[in-house]
Amino acid sequence: MSVLNSPHNLSASGLGKTATYGELSKEDRVCVFCHVPHNAVKNTSLWDRDLPIWSRNLSPDSNYLNKMYQSPSLKASVSAAPTGASRLCLSCHDGTIALGQFKGSLVSSPATTISGSANLTTDLSNDHPISFEYSAALAQQSELASPETLPEQIKLTDGYLQCTSCHDAHDNEYGKFLVMKNGSDSSDSASYAPGSPLCTSCHKNNGWSSASHNPIYNVLKSPTLDAGCQLCHTPHNAPVAKRLLKDDTCYLSCHNGSPTDLTESLDVKTSFQQPYRHDIAAYTGTNGGIHGESSELSFSSFPRHVVCADCHAPHAANETNRPLSYLNAPYVNGPLTGVKISSAATAAKEYEICYRCHAGTNPGSFIDSQTRRVVTQPDENIRFNQTSLSGSYHPVMTARRSDGSSLLTALQSSMTMIYCSDCHNSDQSSKALGSGTGANGPHGSKYEHILMAQYDMPIPALAGPPYSAGSYSAAKYDLCYRCHNESYILGTSSGFSNMTSNEHVRHVVNRMIACFVCHDPHGIAGNYHLINFSTDYVSAAAPVPSYTTPDPTSKTGQCMVSCHSSDSGYTHGYSPTGAAQKSLLRKW
């Protein structure tokens, strides 16, 4: 297609531009807006190339200083100011030089500059990076196609990517002067091509071939993804500069459960509106994009935050194996595929993703509240990683040590490890409900600590037992009983019996002392059975609360806590041959 039939024909014969730019209607010559055969403009910029008989002055380098695109994920070394052919394009498209201001211009009032989205301004921080060397080394670091494999339409100038790599100023066959179709138009357009082939000619993101966001892969499931990359990104004047995003609120723009958007199964908006949530709404807009998928632990240098990209790799996430089954724990795929935990490593296990924030040197700043315990440890890597035989843990990082007797019969042989999301998940997720299309994952829940089911954690408001309101019911510990057998826990086989009296019954049922008061569900060093008392119930002062038992299989043990009567030195032992005691717990 000739430039004559394109928006670059700014002359009186152009495509309506004369109506837009007024005074330019006096100019009949087409090429003169950019080129002149004689007395061309000389290059005065730092860029040392001759200009192609250029008719327009170039904006000074200083106009662009500190305004070039930057992003934590950008590995390229972008020039301080545009170079090469990009400077020529910007002599119109940065909006500083009037369109009619060129050598030999006949326009008497050339003040009109380019308008609309074509005006990139001199702030190029929200435009696709240009004027950087596109080398083989960069390609290897950045999930890009190597230079020699780029299609012939995408041209590098002296090895540099410039505006002319994507645009041909003389040919508008595919719209926006693109050098090939890019799927940015509707599917009934002549220039339509699914999957953004121009973008993906360079960008070779790991996992993209099977990603749910890839309209080529997902064309049957998500026909609304026709726009491809442009569904989330825009190459110029991006509202969210980093990563050139149209919007950084995935849960509002797409994953909102609207029947007209994608599928209901991807509704995370509802979860993020629950009282307990990863509060991504607090970190959108100017607060968003604090770090990227390549950010490494620890986050001591970052402020507290959470964004979707912390847990999901949008170019690799897919729909397989939803929800995660404990049979595959701790390994991840599906929506958690491809999440980077460092610049060189991708998470293979779910807890590695959680530990991006909840471990390291600053995990305490990423939680609103932590149960006050005799031993307080916010680093989940330490809590779960109990390598000593004297420690205890839920099997998130390491397979369980027990024979699984406390589990439901169906789980005793198969559940040897679990995911964090087996407890921390949306209460409306398909995992929590056992069916349905609710989004899985710890987005938000009506239960404290983003738990997928009820786990009674009352703070004692009374000066003595019962501490929990109402009476005991299994529903109060629905989270525990999703895996553990209530009959076993409250029966004589649990190993927490004193002769014929089950101590779990006496504590949890009769005295309404919740499970969490004695058990620290993540893990604790030096104590069997996850014993780490809540200091909201027991005094941390002398005598220092303690629990002793010969070994984890023993059915005998002794607690020394302020709950028990001082007459016995705050101690109480239990064993199958022990004597049942009444009024075991002291009254305040």
Side-chain angles (χ1 to χ4, degrees):
M1 179 178 289
S2 167
V3 70
L4 295 175
N5 302 317
S6 78
H8 276 176
N9 181 0
L10 298 175
S11 73
S13 63
L15 297 176
K17 291 299 181 184
T18 53
T20 302
Y21 296 119
E23 280 286 310
L24 300 184
S25 62
K26 298 179 180 177
E27 181 56 67
D28 293 325
R29 296 170 294 175
V30 175
C31 301
V32 72
F33 289 88
C34 295
H35 305 285
V36 289
H38 305 290
N39 300 316
V41 169
K42 294 182 179 179
N43 183 14
T44 57
S45 75
L46 296 177
W47 169 45
D48 61 358
R49 299 280 292 182
D50 293 332
L51 304 184
I53 52 173
W54 201 245
S55 67
R56 307 180 60 80
N57 289 321
L58 305 182
S59 295
D61 295 334
S62 58
N63 275 5
Y64 309 103
L65 293 181
N66 301 316
K67 299 177 183 177
M68 301 294 282
Y69 178 82
Q70 292 295 332
S71 168
S73 59
L74 180 67
K75 305 294 192 301
S77 179
V78 177
S79 300
T83 62
S86 299
R87 294 301 300 270
L88 308 183
C89 302
L90 288 166
S91 66
C92 281
H93 286 279
D94 73 0
T96 63
I97 301 174
L99 295 174
Q101 188 175 338
F102 53 85
K103 289 281 187 178
S105 175
L106 301 176
V107 179
S108 57
S109 299
T112 302
T113 58
I114 200 166
S115 61
S117 60
N119 182 0
L120 307 182
T121 77
T122 57
D123 184 357
L124 303 180
S125 62
N126 59 353
D127 296 284
H128 192 285
I130 53 173
S131 303
F132 64 87
E133 185 178 11
Y134 189 120
S135 64
L138 174 67
Q140 189 173 24
Q141 297 172 2
S142 308
E143 299 180 15
L144 296 172
S146 59
E148 65 272 15
T149 63
L150 294 177
E152 61 180 3
Q153 297 97 321
I154 299 177
K155 295 179 172 57
L156 304 178
T157 305
D158 297 332
Y160 276 66
L161 186 136
Q162 303 289 5
C163 298
T164 48
S165 298
C166 297
H167 302 281
D168 181 346
H170 301 114
D171 189 343
N172 194 37
E173 178 180 359
Y174 306 119
K176 300 179 181 177
F177 297 93
L178 296 176
V179 297
M180 65 171 65
K181 295 178 180 179
N182 200 38
S184 58
D185 299 310
S186 63
S187 58
D188 58 355
S189 168
S191 62
Y192 169 74
S196 304
L198 175 59
C199 302
T200 57
S201 291
C202 292
H203 293 278
K204 302 295 183 183
N205 298 90
N206 295 331
W208 180 244
S209 61
S210 59
S212 295
H213 287 160
N214 182 347
I216 299 295
Y217 167 74
N218 211 25
V219 64
L220 296 179
K221 295 181 179 179
S222 299
T224 54
L225 294 179
D226 281 343
C229 301
Q230 291 90 333
L231 189 68
C232 300
H233 302 279
T234 182
H236 298 294
N237 295 320
V240 182
K242 292 178 181 177
R243 300 176 186 80
L244 304 178
L245 295 173
K246 289 183 174 178
D247 192 346
D248 62 352
T249 55
C250 311
Y251 74 109
L252 292 179
S253 55
C254 289
H255 297 285
N256 54 21
S258 169
T260 59
D261 286 316
L262 305 178
T263 65
E264 293 86 343
S265 64
L266 299 176
D267 174 20
V268 294
K269 177 183 176 182
T270 301
S271 296
F272 282 128
Q273 293 174 330
Q274 296 302 308
Y276 303 100
R277 58 186 181 267
H278 278 104
D279 196 7
I280 61 171
Y283 303 100
T284 57
T286 56
N287 293 323
I290 293 173
H291 71 90
E293 61 274 11
S294 61
S295 299
E296 298 183 36
L297 288 173
S298 71
F299 287 137
S300 57
S301 61
F302 293 102
R304 171 191 163 113
H305 69 282
V306 60
V307 295
C308 298
D310 289 333
C311 303
H312 299 286
H315 300 117
N318 58 63
E319 300 179 6
T320 59
N321 297 328
R322 291 188 300 162
L324 293 170
S325 168
Y326 65 86
L327 296 173
N328 300 316
Y331 299 101
V332 292
N333 51 19
L336 299 180
T337 298
V339 179
K340 288 188 175 180
I341 53 176
S342 72
S343 59
T346 299
K349 303 164 185 173
E350 187 196 52
Y351 65 77
E352 294 174 336
I353 299 172
C354 303
Y355 289 179
R356 298 188 73 194
C357 296
H358 297 291
T361 60
N362 201 27
S365 67
F366 287 90
I367 53 177
D368 286 328
S369 64
Q370 186 177 17
T371 302
R372 290 180 291 184
R373 295 191 179 278
V374 175
V375 178
T376 300
Q377 175 53 263
D379 190 326
E380 303 301 347
N381 186 35
I382 295 175
R383 296 176 75 187
F384 281 112
N385 190 22
Q386 297 299 325
T387 56
S388 171
L389 292 178
S390 62
S392 50
Y393 55 86
H394 261 101
V396 168
M397 297 179 66
T398 310
R400 76 181 193 216
R401 293 172 180 159
S402 72
D403 62 3
S405 298
S406 69
L407 298 175
L408 300 173
T409 301
L411 305 178
Q412 289 181 355
S413 61
S414 57
M415 180 178 272
T416 58
M417 294 191 72
I418 61 174
Y419 292 104
C420 299
S421 57
D422 281 326
C423 293
H424 298 282
N425 210 316
S426 166
D427 62 294
Q428 295 301 306
S429 64
S430 63
K431 174 175 278 191
L433 301 176
S435 62
T437 58
N440 293 284
H443 303 116
S445 173
K446 67 179 181 181
Y447 298 114
E448 193 175 7
H449 304 298
I450 318 181
L451 294 172
M452 66 191 296
Q454 187 170 358
Y455 179 65
D456 201 25
M457 299 183 69
I459 299 299
L462 302 176
Y467 304 104
S468 182
S471 58
Y472 169 82
S473 71
K476 288 189 173 182
Y477 307 102
D478 185 32
L479 181 69
C480 305
Y481 293 145
R482 289 177 62 87
C483 298
H484 293 284
N485 187 330
E486 181 190 19
S487 297
Y488 178 92
I489 299 295
L490 302 181
T492 56
S493 300
S494 72
F496 192 39
S497 296
N498 207 24
M499 203 175 178
T500 58
S501 177
N502 182 284
E503 294 287 4
H504 278 138
V505 173
R506 300 185 72 189
H507 284 73
V508 181
V509 178
N510 297 341
R511 302 286 182 150
M512 297 295 291
I513 300 172
C515 303
F516 89 99
V517 175
C518 300
H519 298 288
D520 185 344
H522 287 188
I524 178 68
N527 267 352
Y528 299 126
H529 305 308
L530 298 169
I531 300 298
N532 186 15
F533 300 106
S534 165
T535 54
D536 283 320
Y537 285 78
V538 305
S539 171
V544 176
S546 66
Y547 168 72
T548 56
T549 185
D551 62 70
T553 62
S554 172
K555 295 186 177 182
T556 63
Q558 179 174 284
C559 297
M560 183 173 68
V561 289
S562 59
C563 304
H564 292 286
S565 171
S566 60
D567 296 341
S568 60
Y570 302 104
T571 63
H572 175 67
Y574 66 92
S575 75
T577 58
Q581 299 180 37
K582 297 181 179 179
S583 301
L584 179 66
L585 301 179
R586 73 181 176 88
K587 296 181 179 179
W588 275 257

